[in-house]
Amino acid sequence: MTTRLALIACLLIPACLWAAPPTYPCHRPATAPVVDGDVAGDPAWQTIPSVTGFSVLGNGYTYAKQTAAQLCWTDAGLFIAVVCEEPDAKLLKPQAFDGGDTWAEDSIEIFIQPKRNADTYQFAITAGGAKGGFEGHPDITKMKAAAKIGDSSYSLETLIPWAIVNATAKAGDKWTADICRNIFTTKSGGDKFTCWAPLQSRFFEPENFATLVFEGGTLTSAQTTALTEKLNQEYRGTLLKQVAQAVKSFGEYREGLVAAAQDAKYGAQAQALLADWQRFEAINREADKAGILEMREALMKLEVLNRQSYEVKYGFLIYKLLKEN
C-alpha cells in the first residue's frame, strides 16, 4: 500500500519538468473592464483568453488550489483579472493595507518588465484588495485594484496605467511578465507559492517570465474559446495522461469491488467507489470533451480513492474468508 500511495503522489505532483516560458496574446477588450473584483460578472472579460495551470515554485503543476488569469490592454494601461480557487474562502481574513505587508497574506503578485534586461515592476494585491509595490518602486497610488471573496474562490482585478511602468505598449510589442500567488490559508491544503510561468526558486526570475504579445484587435467569443483551449493545451494534456494512468490502476480493484458491491456489509461503500472509478473511465473515454476542472476534481480524490478501494477490497476478502470458515 505504501508503494501505491507513493506512486499516486508522484502522479499528482510531477517532478520538476521545465517547459519553455508561456506566451500570451494580450488583446484589446471590446469594452474596458470595471475594476471592482467581480471578474465573472464583467462582460469585458468574456472575450479575453484565460490561462490556468499554475506551477508550484520549483516543481510541477499545483493541484489543490489552481489559479486562472486574463490580461488585456487599452490606451489607459494594462488590465489583469485573476480568479483563485479557494475552498477555505470563508477562513480568509485579509489584514494588510495599501503599502503594507501584502506579500505576507493570501495575495497575488504581478511582475511586469517592458524591456528585457531592464527594470522590472512588482505589484501585489491581497484577497482583501490591498495594494503593494516592491521591485521597481512603482507608485501604487496610481493603480486601481479591487478584490471579491466568494464561497469557494476569490477574484481580483487591477488596472496598471502605463505611466507606472514608464512605458506605453503598442500593437506588436513584446513584454515579459508573470503572475504569482501566495497561499497562507491552508486548512484544506494548497502549495504556498505558485506561479503562471514556471519559476525555479523565487518569484523574481525575469529570465523565466512569460512573454506578453500586444495584439491590436479584439476577439469574438468563438475566437476566445479557441485561443483559451490552445493556451491551456499542454496543461490539459498532462491531466489527461494522469486520468489514463488512474484508469489503469482501477484494474487492481475492479474485480474485488464488483464482488463486494453484492455484499450486505460492504455493498454501499463498494458501489460508491465503483461510481468514482467509472467517472475516470468516462472522462478517459471522452477525452476530447473532458474539461480541465472536471479532470482536476477527479484527480484530487485519487489518493483517497485508491486507499479506500484497497481497504474495501481486502476487508471484504478477509470478511468473506472468515465467514466461509
Side-chain angles (χ1 to χ4, degrees):
M1 183 61 177
T2 302
T3 301
R4 173 154 297 282
L5 288 179
L7 289 172
I8 296 303
C10 289
L11 178 65
L12 289 177
I13 306 177
C16 186
L17 302 174
W18 293 107
T23 295
Y24 183 89
C26 192
H27 285 265
R28 283 182 171 270
T31 58
V34 177
V35 181
D36 60 4
D38 185 10
V39 176
D42 191 337
W45 294 112
Q46 300 306 307
T47 54
I48 300 300
S50 175
V51 288
T52 186
F54 275 45
S55 298
V56 181
L57 186 63
N59 211 319
Y61 292 122
T62 185
Y63 288 92
K65 296 180 179 181
Q66 259 299 346
T67 308
Q70 297 167 276
L71 301 91
C72 65
W73 66 292
T74 69
D75 293 345
L78 183 65
F79 287 85
I80 300 174
V82 183
V83 177
C84 303
E85 289 182 0
E86 186 47 84
D88 302 322
K90 288 182 171 55
L91 301 178
L92 292 173
K93 298 186 183 301
Q95 301 293 323
F97 51 85
D98 286 356
D101 295 337
T102 51
W103 49 268
E105 62 184 48
D106 294 87
S107 60
I108 289 296
E109 295 187 35
I110 299 166
F111 295 82
I112 299 172
Q113 186 184 54
K115 294 183 180 179
R116 283 196 178 276
N117 303 315
D119 290 337
T120 298
Y121 300 89
Q122 178 185 11
F123 305 88
I125 306 168
T126 71
K131 302 177 293 186
F134 306 98
E135 189 70 32
H137 307 292
D139 183 356
I140 62 172
T141 63
K142 295 180 179 179
M143 68 183 287
K144 292 182 180 180
K148 178 180 179 181
I149 299 175
D151 293 333
S152 58
S153 67
Y154 73 87
S155 58
L156 58 86
E157 293 172 289
T158 184
L159 165 60
I160 299 174
W162 303 124
I164 300 181
V165 295
N166 295 307
T168 301
K170 61 182 183 299
D173 283 354
K174 294 182 179 180
W175 292 13
T176 56
D178 207 356
I179 298 172
C180 306
R181 181 177 174 186
N182 299 303
I183 298 176
F184 288 94
T185 304
T186 57
K187 182 177 180 180
S188 65
D191 297 298
K192 190 171 183 179
F193 304 117
T194 63
C195 39
W196 167 35
L199 304 174
Q200 297 184 28
S201 60
R202 58 181 185 149
F203 285 166
F204 187 64
E205 291 179 2
E207 66 276 14
N208 293 318
F209 285 173
T211 298
L212 295 186
V213 180
F214 290 91
E215 304 286 351
T218 58
L219 297 170
T220 65
S221 294
Q223 290 172 326
T224 303
T225 298
L227 191 48
T228 294
E229 291 177 357
K230 181 179 179 181
L231 292 171
N232 296 301
Q233 187 173 13
E234 182 177 335
Y235 178 49
R236 187 174 182 280
T238 298
L239 294 177
L240 279 173
K241 289 178 182 177
Q242 294 170 347
V243 168
Q245 192 64 37
V247 170
K248 290 182 180 179
S249 68
F250 179 30
E252 179 180 335
Y253 307 115
R254 187 190 302 270
E255 186 177 343
L257 291 177
V258 169
Q262 310 305 313
D263 181 75
K265 180 178 179 180
Y266 286 90
Q269 190 175 3
Q271 289 169 17
L273 292 171
L274 283 169
D276 284 338
W277 282 115
Q278 286 161 1
R279 183 183 180 193
F280 275 105
E281 290 185 315
I283 293 173
N284 194 48
R285 249 188 337 266
E286 300 185 9
D288 58 328
K289 299 178 182 178
I292 285 176
L293 181 58
E294 181 184 15
M295 288 187 281
R296 284 193 53 248
E297 288 177 342
L299 288 166
M300 283 292 294
K301 299 177 181 179
L302 186 55
E303 184 174 338
V304 172
L305 183 57
N306 270 274
R307 184 180 69 249
Q308 293 179 345
S309 296
Y310 178 93
E311 292 170 351
V312 169
K313 172 185 174 180
Y314 289 102
F316 169 69
L317 290 176
I318 293 171
Y319 169 76
K320 181 180 178 183
L321 181 63
L322 294 174
K323 189 175 180 181
E324 290 175 349
N325 293 329

